[in-house]
Amino acid sequence: MNLSPLPLAVFVVDAEGTITSWNKACEKLAGYTAADIRHQTLARIVAFDDPDGAALPVAARTDIESSGSLICADGKRLPVRITVAPQSYDLDLPGSFSVIMIHRNGHGPSRYSLIQDLPVADIIEGLPCVFYVIDQSGHLLLWNHQLEEALEMSSEELPTTNVKYFFDEKERPAIVEKILTAFDRGGSAHEAELVGKHGKRTAFLFHCVATSLGSLPCVFGTGLDITARKQSEQGMRVRERAIYSSVNAIVITCYTDGRNQIEYVNPAFEQMTGYTLAEIKGRDPRFMRVEGCDVHEHQRIHDALERQTSVRSVLRNQRKNGEIFWNDLRIDPVINVDGEVTHFVAVMNDITEARHYERRLHHLAHHDPLTGLANRTLLQDELKRAIEFAVGNELLGALAFLDLDNFKYINDNFGHEAGDVVLREIASRLRASVREDDTVARVGGDEFVLVIRDQPSTQHVADLVERIRRSVGAPITVAGKEILPGTSIGVSLFPLDGDNVDRVMRAADAAMYHAKSLGKNNCQFYSTELNQVVHRHLLLEASLSRAIRNDELTLDYQPKVDLRTGKVIGAEALVRWRHPEHGLVSPEEFIPVAEETGLIVPLGEWVLAQACGTLKTLRALGIGDFVISINLSARQLRQRQFARHLAEVLEGHGVDPRMLELEVTESQLMDRPLEATQALAELKALGVRLSIDDFGTGYSSLSQLQKFPVDVIKIDRSFLDGGPDDSHAVITRAIIALGHSLKLEVIAEGVETQEQLAFLRQHDCDQMQGYYFSPALPQDKLQAMVCSDARLPG
């Protein structure tokens, strides 16, 4: 490339200031010929403005900008700016300096003035890159406007600054090395960032070529702005690192002619599957699929790849060691600039543990934790499906409700751990009694439900349920002790008894209630008649609360007679319900309802208040030694504050506690004997009398009976039914003797005949009550009887 002489005059001088080479600009600016300049000294050609300039050695002026004059051949002096720099970056070549002079014309040398005389000026200015010429001192001799813009410097500043200062400090040694390489070897190339005067950074790819301008060695080159490319490369590196470091397995396949071949897998994939890239590169990723599994998902993936669209799937794959794992897979196509799919990227996430956890959660949400049986939620789903299938296919199904008859007794007497063992054993027996497609559920503490599908006949269902009842009722041994569970079962048939979940369940529940009301440990099927009974039960439950509030209840009193004197010494309060629509409702009908619903508590409070009111009235009539007994329910006995409440009622009515007798059944006492003993002790401390009702029908022992602080035992009416010589009479005599041996009073209830009365008197029974003397009487008639001193004939 031929360049015209540069208007930037450069001398090369030795340490003594003798000129050894120069460029053409020297000749042009100063008017010297080569012969004129050769061997001249710097002092001959340049006059420094500072007075001591001539005396300073050249080395002392290194990297110092000075002003002075270029002494031309015709004697004229041309004002210039002068910069002295070491001639080479190479420290092995000392003692040579470049003296750069720029004409000071008032405006300084512009880029245009420097290159306007060059024949290639337009080309240099039009280059899509920076262009530069550097001498061996590292200073610019020539440049274009792109360099000025990149460095944010004017054309006056550029030639006086060493080019190494155009770069970041940490890069300067490498830049110097590249320039030296260009001078030594004829060229070099490197990437670096130019740092602008105001901090602007621009990445360039530089190419340098060594040449000379006249006798002046130099390097010229270009710098291509690669900022966008560097940013792209950085983004690529970040993305590549992200792929490499991703915890998700990533597979990149090359898509050619409809075939996918593995091109890259990241370390997460290798760790997840056990396969290395070297082992599987070039293979179709489908080699990991589990044949026969997730066929629908495989087809979805195949169709998406055919359409060259994205797809997401959850399916199973196989590791190198043969282990199956669940994979959440996302596949996306990669499209080139021509719109063609060249690759697919698959991201794989091992969700095996999450899948197992999800299944465990689903199982916990739908199964009983103790027995592993279905819970109420799953039961309803299964029953719904079973009913719909039965209706659609004209089949017969059954729903069986099972309620353990004495589970509370098991828990209280054997402990809750034993209760859990019993529940698990019964669950196992139920599962073994039905088919795999049937459903066994636990929906409460001691409640189980069976959904029995596809039965040939009602009789077949009845036989199956009876076998289940016997199986459940078989003895269970826990810690060496034998436990007899027993169960009441209610059965409804679908679609005969209902064609939806609610109707079928209500029917089975009604049947089970009926089974329990018949004495427990039996099976009952739902019927229309049964529905009427249950409906009446529900009506009673709804109206009993109203009855307590609306004074529909009354108390009648059955007199108690001293068998020695024949005198009426007390009475048992018996509650009566006169329903406004149904008339007189038997206590045998509404008392169980009150017990089940908890209404027995407010009912008992009402009875207590009425009885105390009657005692208060009798006392006002002068009758102070009369005792009224009331029946105490199990719920009342277990109430923590019952004794305190009773004391408040007695005090409120001004009643002597000795005038009130509380009757509890033998079964109540034996249900929770320790709690019962404590509760009776609290009541006894108030001064009230205590009586055991229905004595002889329970399971108490003599040792247990002695622990209860009672005053009276009542012989159950069932022991008076036979003649004087049958077994019942023997039991009656034993009860009377037992009571007296324990210093307890003995009263017989249900006495209806002269023979019964004679038998009781013969064996020294203390008191009696029953129709033989008097039925239950309203309060006014009782008062009249007592006031008239009516007596039992001798």
Side-chain angles (χ1 to χ4, degrees), residues 81-145:
R81 289 207 315 271
I82 307 165
T83 301
V84 178
Q87 225 298 295
S88 175
Y89 286 122
D90 192 347
L91 299 178
D92 295 331
L93 298 173
S96 182
F97 303 90
S98 290
V99 180
I100 304 167
M101 290 175 288
I102 302 173
H103 182 209
R104 292 185 295 152
N105 56 7
H107 301 286
S110 69
R111 165 172 44 83
Y112 301 104
S113 67
L114 294 177
I115 65 172
Q116 62 184 353
D117 295 329
L118 298 178
V120 292
D122 292 339
I123 296 176
I124 292 173
E125 282 297 292
L127 289 173
C129 58
V130 299
F131 178 83
Y132 55 88
V133 178
I134 307 171
D135 70 2
Q136 284 184 302
S137 70
H139 288 75
L140 288 169
L141 301 180
L142 184 63
W143 63 92
N144 62 358
H145 75 284

Side-chain angles (χ1 to χ4, degrees), residues 8-208:
L8 198 68
V10 180
F11 294 96
V12 178
V13 299
D14 60 18
E16 284 73 29
T18 301
I19 298 172
T20 59
S21 63
W22 57 92
N23 67 349
K24 290 291 185 181
C26 293
E27 300 176 9
K28 180 176 181 181
L29 287 174
Y32 292 109
T33 65
D36 293 332
I37 295 175
R38 195 181 310 276
H39 305 306
Q40 292 289 339
T41 63
L42 185 60
R44 170 68 180 82
I45 300 297
V46 177
F48 290 94
D49 289 343
D50 51 311
D52 299 325
L56 286 174
V58 177
R61 293 187 173 277
T62 301
D63 293 330
I64 298 175
E65 184 176 327
S66 305
S67 61
S69 300
L70 176 62
I71 303 172
C72 300
D74 59 4
K76 291 182 179 179
R77 291 176 178 256
L78 188 66
V80 294
R81 289 207 315 271
I82 307 165
T83 301
V84 178
Q87 225 298 295
S88 175
Y89 286 122
D90 192 347
L91 299 178
D92 295 331
L93 298 173
S96 182
F97 303 90
S98 290
V99 180
I100 304 167
M101 290 175 288
I102 302 173
H103 182 209
R104 292 185 295 152
N105 56 7
H107 301 286
S110 69
R111 165 172 44 83
Y112 301 104
S113 67
L114 294 177
I115 65 172
Q116 62 184 353
D117 295 329
L118 298 178
V120 292
D122 292 339
I123 296 176
I124 292 173
E125 282 297 292
L127 289 173
C129 58
V130 299
F131 178 83
Y132 55 88
V133 178
I134 307 171
D135 70 2
Q136 284 184 302
S137 70
H139 288 75
L140 288 169
L141 301 180
L142 184 63
W143 63 92
N144 62 358
H145 75 284
Q146 284 92 336
L147 184 62
E148 293 179 8
E149 292 176 355
L151 292 171
E152 302 176 297
M153 297 173 69
S154 67
S155 58
E156 299 160 327
E157 298 172 284
L158 286 177
T160 60
T161 305
N162 194 300
V163 295
K164 69 180 181 181
Y165 295 112
F166 298 157
F167 300 90
D168 193 274
E169 184 176 0
K170 63 183 180 181
E171 293 187 6
R172 290 170 190 170
I175 297 300
V176 171
E177 183 63 31
K178 289 296 182 181
I179 294 174
L180 289 174
T181 299
F183 276 108
D184 292 343
R185 300 182 183 178
S188 67
H190 64 281
E191 294 180 5
E193 279 187 337
L194 286 177
V195 181
K197 182 177 179 180
H198 303 297
K200 174 184 176 183
R201 288 176 176 266
T202 311
F204 285 94
L205 172 60
F206 293 104
H207 286 87
C208 304

Side-chain angles (χ1 to χ4, degrees), residues 36 39 57 86 155 263 301 310 338 464 587 625 652:
D36 293 332
H39 305 306
S155 58
E263 188 173 281
I301 295 172
S310 298
D338 297 322
L464 172 61
D625 57 350

Side-chain angles (χ1 to χ4, degrees), residues 395-410:
L395 298 172
L396 178 68
L399 180 70
F401 276 18
L402 293 84
D403 188 88
L404 301 186
D405 292 331
N406 55 346
F407 186 68
K408 182 175 179 297
Y409 175 80
I410 294 171

Side-chain angles (χ1 to χ4, degrees), residues 288-304:
M288 291 188 299
R289 70 168 48 174
V290 181
E291 295 300 332
C293 289
D294 311 311
V295 176
H296 176 68
E297 295 302 304
H298 292 155
Q299 188 61 46
R300 286 183 59 243
I301 295 172
H302 175 271
D303 294 344

Side-chain angles (χ1 to χ4, degrees), residues 339-370:
E340 298 171 342
V341 174
T342 59
H343 295 78
F344 281 95
V345 176
V347 179
M348 303 166 60
N349 186 17
D350 186 346
I351 60 169
T352 306
E353 192 62 32
R355 193 80 171 188
H356 291 166
Y357 181 66
E358 180 183 326
R359 288 185 173 181
R360 287 196 296 272
L361 286 180
H362 184 272
H363 185 274
L364 289 174
H366 294 83
H367 291 81
D368 170 50
L370 176 65

Side-chain angles (χ1 to χ4, degrees), residues 598-610:
L599 289 172
I600 195 68
V601 173
L603 177 60
E605 291 176 353
W606 180 87
V607 170
L608 177 62
Q610 293 295 314

